Short mmCIF file of all heavy atoms in Angstrom, two decimals:
data_model
loop_
_atom_site.label_atom_id
_atom_site.label_comp_id
_atom_site.label_asym_id
_atom_site.label_seq_id
_atom_site.Cartn_x
_atom_site.Cartn_y
_atom_site.Cartn_z
N PRO A 115 27.48 -0.49 2.47
CA PRO A 115 28.29 0.13 3.52
C PRO A 115 28.48 1.62 3.24
O PRO A 115 29.06 2.00 2.24
CB PRO A 115 29.62 -0.62 3.45
CG PRO A 115 29.66 -1.19 2.08
CD PRO A 115 28.24 -1.39 1.64
N ILE A 116 27.96 2.43 4.11
CA ILE A 116 27.97 3.87 3.89
C ILE A 116 29.37 4.45 3.99
O ILE A 116 29.71 5.40 3.30
CB ILE A 116 27.00 4.57 4.87
CG1 ILE A 116 26.79 6.03 4.52
CG2 ILE A 116 27.47 4.47 6.27
CD1 ILE A 116 25.74 6.23 3.51
N HIS A 117 30.23 3.84 4.82
CA HIS A 117 31.57 4.40 4.98
C HIS A 117 32.36 4.34 3.68
O HIS A 117 33.17 5.22 3.39
CB HIS A 117 32.33 3.67 6.10
CG HIS A 117 32.43 2.19 5.90
ND1 HIS A 117 33.38 1.60 5.12
CD2 HIS A 117 31.65 1.18 6.38
CE1 HIS A 117 33.22 0.30 5.13
NE2 HIS A 117 32.17 0.01 5.87
N GLU A 118 32.12 3.34 2.86
CA GLU A 118 32.82 3.24 1.58
C GLU A 118 32.40 4.39 0.66
O GLU A 118 33.25 5.02 0.00
CB GLU A 118 32.48 1.90 0.92
CG GLU A 118 33.08 1.73 -0.45
CD GLU A 118 32.60 0.44 -1.11
OE1 GLU A 118 32.24 -0.50 -0.39
OE2 GLU A 118 32.59 0.40 -2.35
N ASP A 119 31.13 4.70 0.63
CA ASP A 119 30.65 5.78 -0.21
C ASP A 119 31.10 7.15 0.30
O ASP A 119 31.34 8.05 -0.48
CB ASP A 119 29.12 5.75 -0.31
CG ASP A 119 28.64 4.59 -1.15
OD1 ASP A 119 29.45 4.09 -1.95
OD2 ASP A 119 27.48 4.20 -1.00
N VAL A 120 31.20 7.29 1.62
CA VAL A 120 31.68 8.56 2.17
C VAL A 120 33.11 8.81 1.73
O VAL A 120 33.48 9.92 1.38
CB VAL A 120 31.57 8.57 3.71
CG1 VAL A 120 32.27 9.78 4.30
CG2 VAL A 120 30.11 8.56 4.13
N ARG A 121 33.92 7.75 1.72
CA ARG A 121 35.30 7.93 1.28
C ARG A 121 35.38 8.20 -0.22
O ARG A 121 36.13 9.06 -0.66
CB ARG A 121 36.11 6.67 1.59
CG ARG A 121 36.74 6.73 2.96
CD ARG A 121 37.71 5.60 3.18
NE ARG A 121 37.00 4.54 3.88
CZ ARG A 121 36.88 3.30 3.45
NH1 ARG A 121 37.43 2.91 2.34
NH2 ARG A 121 36.21 2.41 4.15
N ARG A 122 34.60 7.50 -1.02
CA ARG A 122 34.70 7.62 -2.47
C ARG A 122 34.04 8.88 -3.00
O ARG A 122 34.51 9.50 -3.95
CB ARG A 122 34.08 6.39 -3.14
CG ARG A 122 34.95 5.16 -2.97
CD ARG A 122 34.28 3.93 -3.47
NE ARG A 122 34.11 3.94 -4.91
CZ ARG A 122 33.37 3.07 -5.57
NH1 ARG A 122 32.72 2.13 -4.91
NH2 ARG A 122 33.26 3.13 -6.87
N TYR A 123 32.90 9.26 -2.42
CA TYR A 123 32.11 10.39 -2.92
C TYR A 123 31.90 11.41 -1.80
O TYR A 123 30.77 11.68 -1.40
CB TYR A 123 30.77 9.92 -3.46
CG TYR A 123 30.87 8.74 -4.39
CD1 TYR A 123 30.46 7.48 -3.99
CD2 TYR A 123 31.39 8.90 -5.66
CE1 TYR A 123 30.56 6.41 -4.84
CE2 TYR A 123 31.49 7.83 -6.52
CZ TYR A 123 31.08 6.58 -6.11
OH TYR A 123 31.19 5.52 -6.96
N SER A 124 32.97 11.97 -1.29
CA SER A 124 32.85 12.86 -0.13
C SER A 124 32.08 14.13 -0.45
O SER A 124 31.47 14.73 0.43
CB SER A 124 34.24 13.20 0.41
OG SER A 124 34.98 13.87 -0.60
N LYS A 125 32.08 14.57 -1.70
CA LYS A 125 31.36 15.81 -2.02
C LYS A 125 29.85 15.66 -1.87
O LYS A 125 29.14 16.62 -1.66
CB LYS A 125 31.72 16.30 -3.41
CG LYS A 125 31.24 15.42 -4.53
CD LYS A 125 31.62 16.01 -5.86
CE LYS A 125 31.12 15.10 -6.99
NZ LYS A 125 31.45 15.66 -8.28
N PHE A 126 29.32 14.43 -1.95
CA PHE A 126 27.88 14.22 -1.79
C PHE A 126 27.48 14.22 -0.31
O PHE A 126 26.33 14.43 0.02
CB PHE A 126 27.46 12.89 -2.41
CG PHE A 126 27.57 12.88 -3.90
CD1 PHE A 126 28.48 12.06 -4.53
CD2 PHE A 126 26.78 13.70 -4.67
CE1 PHE A 126 28.59 12.04 -5.90
CE2 PHE A 126 26.88 13.69 -6.05
CZ PHE A 126 27.79 12.86 -6.66
N PHE A 127 28.41 13.97 0.59
CA PHE A 127 28.09 13.87 2.00
C PHE A 127 28.44 15.12 2.78
O PHE A 127 28.23 15.18 3.98
CB PHE A 127 28.78 12.65 2.62
CG PHE A 127 28.23 11.36 2.10
CD1 PHE A 127 28.81 10.72 1.03
CD2 PHE A 127 27.09 10.82 2.65
CE1 PHE A 127 28.29 9.54 0.54
CE2 PHE A 127 26.56 9.65 2.17
CZ PHE A 127 27.16 9.00 1.11
#
Side-chain angles (χ1 to χ4, degrees):
I116 190 85
H117 56 84
E118 177 185 334
D119 288 339
V120 170
R121 270 189 264 123
R122 288 173 68 191
Y123 312 108
S124 60
K125 67 179 180 179
F126 292 114
F127 292 94

